[in-house]
Amino acid sequence: MRKHLVLFVLAAGLATLPAAAAESSLTGTWALEISFAAGGSRGQTCALQQSGVDLSGSCVGDDGSTLDFKGQVEGSTASWKSESEWSGNPITMAFKATLTTPEELNGTFELLPMGMKGTFSGRRDPGGQAGYDAALTRSKTAGATSFPAAPPAPVAQAAAPFASAAVQAKVDALLARMTVEEKVGQLVQLPGFSGARPEATLRKGGAGSVLWLNDTKEFNRLQRVAVEESRLHIPLLFALDVIHGYRTIFPMPLAMAASWDPALVERAQTIAAREARAAGIHWTFAPMLDIARDARWGRIVEGAGEDPFLGQAMAAAQVRGFQGTALGAADRVAACAKHFAAYGAAEGGRDYDSVNVPESQLRNVYLPPFHAAARAGVATFMSAYMDLNDVPAAANRFLLRDVLRKEWGFQGFVVSDAMAPASLITQGFARHGRDAAYRSLAAGLNMDMASGTFSRHVAGLVQEGKLTMAQLDEAVRPILAVKFALGLFDQPYTDESRMASVLNDPAHRQEARLAAQRTMVLLRNEKGTLPLRKDLENVAVIGPLADSREDTEGSWILAPHPHDAVTVLEGIKAKLGAGARVSYAKGPEIRRDIPSPFDRDPKPAQTPAEAEQAFQQALATARAADTIVMVLGERQDMAGEAASRASLDLPGRQQELIEAVVALGKPVVLVLLNGRPLSINWAAEHVSAILEAWEPGSEGGHAVADVLFGDVNPGGKLPVSVPRAGGHAPYYYAHNLTQAPETAPGFTSRYWDGRSTPLYPFGFGLSYTSFAFSNLKLERPEIEVGETVGVTVDVTNTGEREGDEVVQLYVHQRAGSASRPARELKGFERIHLAPGEKRTVRFSLGPDERRYWSSAEGQWVLDAERFDIWVGGDSRATLHTVLTVNP
Ligand code: BGC
């Protein structure tokens, strides 16, 4: 078994001396059998030495490693703690045991902070014969194939400077001087709506943070009040949603995930952080890490899509980008992993609706990106709005304490989503505001975003003893620690003179263009329609999104700035130059049927007559051109928060328009601008080239033109499956195989009114060149359950252009303690190959990739089973081999 499990096992051999056996001594050699709570057992040989009430010992495991311990026997029980390390992280092992006879002992153990538990028993073994190997042999003989696995590693100390001893000492000193009211103030985040006058509150130390304000001068003015006019001079933390750029806008996060390029994602968020910090923002409410398998849910655009493995890579990259290697780095901001957790599984894809997911799905699918962010050192978390399995996330003790703090060892702080503490009443959970404040704070929430519930009730709860001072201190402590780690006590103000040069740094726009290029996914390209020739003379660019700066940028742009994104029309014009005729028609406008609460468009909707006129004009424009580029999809307010849909069709009259334009018989290219997968079934059969450009940001139009005209060879891949209809949602590739798999004869369709396969599969994307995969090899065909194996594959560029391929590794476990998905992504790498070039790509498949939470075992397990392995360019990869994992 892997080393940390061995360490754990080794450390578990301790005992106590009950009064009844007081004369007995534990001194001697013992064979111990360790039983994990979830089943399965291990053994090892331990030499123990008892002297009075002191106990010491050392155990030897199968890999020859040893672990020493010391303990104490007190009366009839002995409590035991042993400090060790696990993958570089400190862990504490706590034991209790009873000597039942002078020859036998048994007890319980717990591994902290993970909370992994079990029991052990031992017998004297004078010859030292029954060691680890014998125990393992016993397991093998008994036919065990499912083994308890160590949980994913917790947060390493080095990743969390806000938890360092130096910072904690400062926090302690400050806390000792704070009144209850000042402590409560730190838990309060004030809405910075324009016109708000929070000065009196700040002077009293009544707020720890302000959000939704975005004015550098005002930041400095308010900070001066907090720092210079309050008793304890505690600086404010200014927070804003900087989701995909501040001044320079990058593609939306779903698009960034389509790059399959974590280094690019990290660079983009580094730039976002640099600009935001220059403007005075300390803390961004990003990244959003909600796995989304339901394209109807509007917020799918804010995350990395449907897959937890890709999601983890994107989570860690974004945290590194925002925060740097450790919180407090210059030009960086604190990040916030949101919305904890499983918000993306909203019933019916309706935003804010309840979520019901079993623990196995939670741990295998929805939590891993959050855990990756915690391990990357994210300073804060945001609890989600909805209730998870009937308990609202803002007061969900299981999420906020058991998982986040105890298992993962997270030491930053948790902010609620906006108004969420107050919503506990609406959600039928809390009786009133006081109850809401008590239950959310007691459950582990630190900061109340804008609802005023904490500011109204927490001090009273402490005064009447319902909340203890220790609970209050526990809530305040990490907020102060993050402020210290960010350096705000030393430098609370923002240098207003620096901002313009940072925000207008041309290197930022260049990176935004590169990012947009790398996020584009070529969905269809019949008969080499693309790339288009650069000597085209007469092109029509048509569609409601073709010249829309706002929709090119995408949603969540809170920084006040001129919307100056390059549109697709502008990008094409710039590419073709003055010699070409580039005509444009918008066609009928598209609008939400029910306006958005965040609506920015004050114009009245088109009348049907105006829409018809626009339709005819678009058709006439297309008719007069030789080549037509249609830019269709969704407006930015059709995806995002409060932007769910029942249908995944092209909204408005866009479908009708594209059918009419294609009927003209001219070359047509469809460029999609959208934040969610769209069921473009008709276009997928009738339009010869389709480019998924997402919401591509400031440089989007240039990037689209770069791809359309072949200056860039597209290499993005879908981070979500594209379903054929809204009725197919939720849809994802990593589903379990069931009694009648789709592939079984006679069961080719699950619906009688259409195919149930995706229109485009997860991981899919074309290129202007082609790639071949060959020589898939396992470095060893058989391994033991705790071992790692290398998987190699040769990838060759078989076409005539240089290009990128995203090499993807998928795994399927054939049997186990619980059913496993048909396929799961377990490795990927985006590579660049010249024509004819061949490269060997290597992946590593170890316990981290094979471990899963088993519903049957109620535990993390590793199974000794056979595994199908495929490598290829999307989730339908066919190059296959089989790995055998032995007990
Ligand atoms: C959203 C969060 C966001 C917060 C602050 C909420 O409505 O759900 O994602 O960070 O507002 O703007």
Side-chain angles (χ1 to χ4, degrees), residues 211-212 241 285 299 302 338-339 343 352 382 385 417-418 449 556 558 598 641:
L211 86 158
W212 295 326
D241 296 90
F285 298 128
R299 303 197 81 169
E302 297 175 51
K338 73 183 187 184
H339 308 83
Y343 180 34
Y352 314 121
M382 184 189 294
Y385 274 130
D417 204 339
M449 185 191 285
W556 275 121
L558 299 184
F598 312 113
E641 186 172 352

